[in-house]
């Protein structure tokens, strides 16, 4: 995807905050929530997300065995292609070290959720700060502010020009193999998206009547930005955060698959489990299928809810 295409999509989402009231007088979020309740896509996405979060929270308590215990090591012979499939007591079978796959899937859900949330928060916080500075400078900063905004946006465009996975791999390779590295690498990739999105939303709000009224009354620019423009510019950022969780989970799994994730194989994480199963796919495909399905369904849930939120906030789609 080209930089122009990425920028256009981000700018379109940012413009969704330009209208704060519907023709019936209902608030933006109240109307959006009404639309979400009637959206099958939103309901399905929400159900998947809630189920995933519940599993991530209570999974370690429900796991019948320790995820690192090689209890059945004597029953599997990976070098000979002999594995144990689903059976009584081991619902998903055993992995190449004789560990219970069902227990590892339950415990691994928490690690996967942790990676997705932390990575998204890193991108959100850093992008939020950059977006505020750039948006405030462009909106109320005059000529100097516009020059500052232009310099920041050129740097952001440089980051957007790089394929996200390539940028994440480069950062992870420099920092070394660890779960923290994966979180930071995936988080940094999200920074330009959040920064441009918030900046675009603030620009859309900058010409609103309430901003002009506040300026005419002599309200300080900092107060206008923080108490007026910023709160009304958060809608697309919240939507993007939901979509970014799906992206973060997929990209974190990709980095783990490439060997840049947690080096401790005893700590289950779906991306790491997928990487470990690669060598034995011909003999035990379920070792890879289970974590792959978990990643796909979870990412699908966040994507469905995020897209439903985007449509609910779009003024052109409101009836």
């Amino acid at each position: 995807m080209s930089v122009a295409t990425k920028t256009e999509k981000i700018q379109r989402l940012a413009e969704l905050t330009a209208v704060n009231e519907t023709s019936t007088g209902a608030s933006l979020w109240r109307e959006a929530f009404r639309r979400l309740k009637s959206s099958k896509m939103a309901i399905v996405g929400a159900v998947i997300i809630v189920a995933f979060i519940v599993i991530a929270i209570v999974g370690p308590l429900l796991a019948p065995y320790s995820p690192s215990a090689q209890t059945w090591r004597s029953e599997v012979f990976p070098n000979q292609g002999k594995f144990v499939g689903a059976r009584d007591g081991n619902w998903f079978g055993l992995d190449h070290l004789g560990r219970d796959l069902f227990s590892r899937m339950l415990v691994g859900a928490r690690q996967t959720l942790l990676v997705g949330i932390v990575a998204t928060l890193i991108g959100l916080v850093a992008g939020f700060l950059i977006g505020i500075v750039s948006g405030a400078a462009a909106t109320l900063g005059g000529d100097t502010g516009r020059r500052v905004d232009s310099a920041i946006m050129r740097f952001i465009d440089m980051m957007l020009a790089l394929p996200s996975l390539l940028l994440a791999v480069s950062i992870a390779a420099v920092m070394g193999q660890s779960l923290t590295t994966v979180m930071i690498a995936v988080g940094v990739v999200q920074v330009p998206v959040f920064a441009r999105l918030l900046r675009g939303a603030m620009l859309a709000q900058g010409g609103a009547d309430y901003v002009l009224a506040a300026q005419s009354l002599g309200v300080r620019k900092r107060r206008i930005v923080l108490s007026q423009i910023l709160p009304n510019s958060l809608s697309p950022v919240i939507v993007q955060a939901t979509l970014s969780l799906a992206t973060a989970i997929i990209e974190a799994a990709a980095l783990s698959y490439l060997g840049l994730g947690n080096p401790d194989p005893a700590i289950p994480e779906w991306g790491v489990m997928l990487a470990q199963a690669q060598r034995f796919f011909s003999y035990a495909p379920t070792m890879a299928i289970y974590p792959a399905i978990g990643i796909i369904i979870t990412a699908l849930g966040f994507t469905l809810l995020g897209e439903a939120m985007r449509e609910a906030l779009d003024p052109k789609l409101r009836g």
Side-chain angles (χ1 to χ4, degrees):
M1 186 183 295
S2 67
V3 181
T5 305
K6 288 183 180 179
T7 304
E8 183 179 347
K9 290 181 68 176
I10 294 170
Q11 190 64 32
R12 174 62 190 136
L13 185 55
E15 289 171 355
L16 299 184
T17 55
V19 179
N20 287 300
E21 298 291 327
T22 67
S23 57
T24 59
S27 69
L28 178 70
W29 280 104
R30 186 180 302 171
E31 177 68 12
F33 184 67
R34 182 188 66 80
R35 292 175 62 85
L36 282 175
K37 288 193 299 183
S38 61
S39 169
K40 294 181 180 179
M41 183 166 63
I43 293 173
V44 172
V47 169
I48 293 174
I49 292 171
V50 170
F52 173 58
I53 292 175
V54 170
I55 291 173
I57 293 173
V58 304
L61 302 177
L62 299 178
Y65 309 103
S66 168
S68 59
Q70 301 180 21
T71 308
W72 298 275
R73 183 68 181 86
S74 60
E75 297 185 35
V76 295
F77 300 92
N79 292 334
Q80 301 175 25
K82 295 181 180 179
F83 290 86
V84 176
R87 64 182 184 181
D88 251 353
N90 305 113
W91 294 350
F92 286 1
L94 307 176
D95 70 358
H96 61 295
L97 295 177
R99 298 172 295 193
D100 182 57
L101 272 176
F102 180 69
S103 299
R104 290 180 65 78
M105 282 293 296
L106 289 177
V107 178
R110 176 177 293 185
Q111 292 295 317
T112 300
L113 178 63
L114 177 66
V115 170
I117 290 178
V118 173
T120 301
L121 283 176
I122 291 173
L124 176 60
V125 172
F128 189 83
L129 294 175
I130 295 173
I132 288 178
V133 173
S134 184
T139 305
L140 300 175
D143 292 339
T144 302
R146 283 189 285 273
R147 284 194 290 270
V148 171
D149 170 61
S150 180
I152 294 175
M153 284 302 102
R154 296 301 73 75
F155 175 73
I156 293 299
D157 287 343
M158 287 173 58
M159 294 183 68
L160 284 172
L162 295 172
S164 58
L165 185 57
L166 177 60
L167 179 59
V169 169
S170 302
I171 295 171
V174 170
M175 295 185 64
Q177 184 183 13
S178 72
L179 193 62
T180 303
T181 294
V182 171
M183 295 176 184
I184 294 174
V186 176
V188 169
V189 169
Q190 306 287 351
V191 170
V193 177
F194 285 113
R196 248 201 181 280
L197 193 55
L198 182 57
R199 180 251 189 190
M202 291 179 70
L203 288 178
Q205 292 291 331
D209 291 341
Y210 67 86
V211 175
L212 299 177
Q215 286 181 294
S216 66
L217 291 173
V219 180
R220 296 177 62 183
K221 292 181 179 180
R222 180 183 300 178
R223 185 175 178 183
I224 295 174
V225 170
L226 296 179
S227 65
Q228 301 293 330
I229 296 178
L230 182 59
N232 288 303
S233 302
L234 295 179
S235 299
V237 178
I238 295 172
V239 174
Q240 183 59 40
T242 306
L243 293 170
S244 292
L245 273 166
T247 305
I249 289 173
I250 293 174
E251 291 181 346
L255 293 179
S256 296
Y257 183 80
L258 294 173
L260 297 171
N262 193 343
D264 185 359
I267 300 177
E269 191 268 322
W270 290 350
V272 175
M273 291 173 64
L274 192 59
Q276 293 172 349
Q278 178 185 6
R279 294 176 295 161
F280 312 109
F281 189 79
S282 299
Y283 305 107
T286 53
M287 281 180 58
I289 291 174
Y290 290 134
I293 290 176
I295 292 169
I296 292 170
I297 292 178
T298 302
L300 177 64
F302 284 111
T303 301
L304 289 177
L305 182 59
E307 286 295 328
M309 290 174 65
R310 183 189 63 78
E311 291 181 3
L313 287 166
D314 195 334
K316 294 183 177 180
L317 298 177
R318 293 186 208 140

